[in-house]
Amino acid sequence: MKEKSILITHATHPVIQRLYKSIGENFQSLFKGDSQDFPSLLEASGYQKLPDASHSSYPHLILDACLTLEVDYFLPLASAEVKALQGTEVMFAEYGIQVLMPDEPYLNAGSINVIPSKGDAVQLFEKGQSLSGAARLSEAQSGLFFLHEGKEWKAILL
């Protein structure tokens, strides 16, 4: 899969910075973005300024960013972004972009906002299958997950 590219959000968050290697190991190109203000030094090193999820046109604005960067996958890592993108996966898919995020029933089940520890296994899933092929979820969920207390895969959303 190394020929694929991905854009991740909340790239300036310390937890996400710690997980870059886990996220990027499956991709030729890893684009990092954030809607929060960040130092120009990060922008000079390739960080992308992304729209805020509260913007009424967020799905269209983020699709435009994905098209500009020519990514194959988009990984939103904030609960607000995922909620703003619910139901738009088909729009992205029309352009060949897979949005890697849990679906709404999963979000409503309360299995989010738990931060992984340094030793926890982290995997990127698409429809229940790890992109590295190393693991499988019992449900057909997508997104960044970690093995919580060695027992249960939980979504990483900030």
Side-chain angles (χ1 to χ4, degrees):
M1 170 179 290
K2 284 279 191 188
E3 67 279 355
K4 302 285 185 175
S5 60
I6 188 169
L7 169 62
I8 64 167
T9 66
H10 279 291
T12 60
H13 193 283
V15 170
I16 304 309
Q17 288 180 346
R18 180 169 45 96
L19 299 174
Y20 283 154
K21 185 175 183 200
S22 299
I23 298 169
E25 66 188 11
N26 297 307
F27 299 95
Q28 180 179 355
S29 299
L30 171 67
F31 295 100
K32 305 166 193 168
D34 208 318
S35 61
Q36 304 297 313
D37 290 331
F38 50 84
S40 58
L41 176 64
L42 291 179
E43 192 169 0
S45 66
Y47 280 70
Q48 308 293 315
K49 181 69 174 161
L50 299 176
D52 189 278
S54 65
H55 195 285
S56 62
S57 298
Y58 178 73
H60 295 283
L61 294 171
I62 204 69
L63 174 62
D64 185 53
C66 289
L67 291 170
T68 299
L69 295 170
E70 299 179 2
V71 298
D72 302 293
Y73 292 93
F74 173 57
L75 177 61
L77 290 172
S79 301
E81 294 167 338
V82 170
K83 288 178 183 176
L85 290 166
Q86 290 299 318
T88 64
E89 296 94 330
V90 172
M91 178 177 72
F92 283 80
E94 288 175 357
Y95 295 94
I97 301 166
Q98 296 299 312
V99 180
L100 301 176
M101 63 181 191
D103 61 24
E104 194 167 11
Y106 183 86
L107 294 174
N108 293 334
S111 186
I112 61 170
N113 295 329
V114 181
I115 304 299
S117 300
K118 287 190 180 194
D120 289 335
V122 176
Q123 294 284 322
L124 193 55
F125 289 92
E126 180 181 14
K127 298 176 184 162
Q129 180 61 50
S130 169
L131 292 179
S132 67
R136 188 157 186 78
L137 295 174
S138 59
E139 300 173 21
Q141 297 296 324
S142 297
L144 187 62
F145 287 72
F146 74 101
L147 194 56
H148 182 61
E149 297 178 351
K151 297 183 248 178
E152 177 185 9
W153 288 100
K154 292 200 173 239
I156 298 173
L157 289 174
L158 306 171

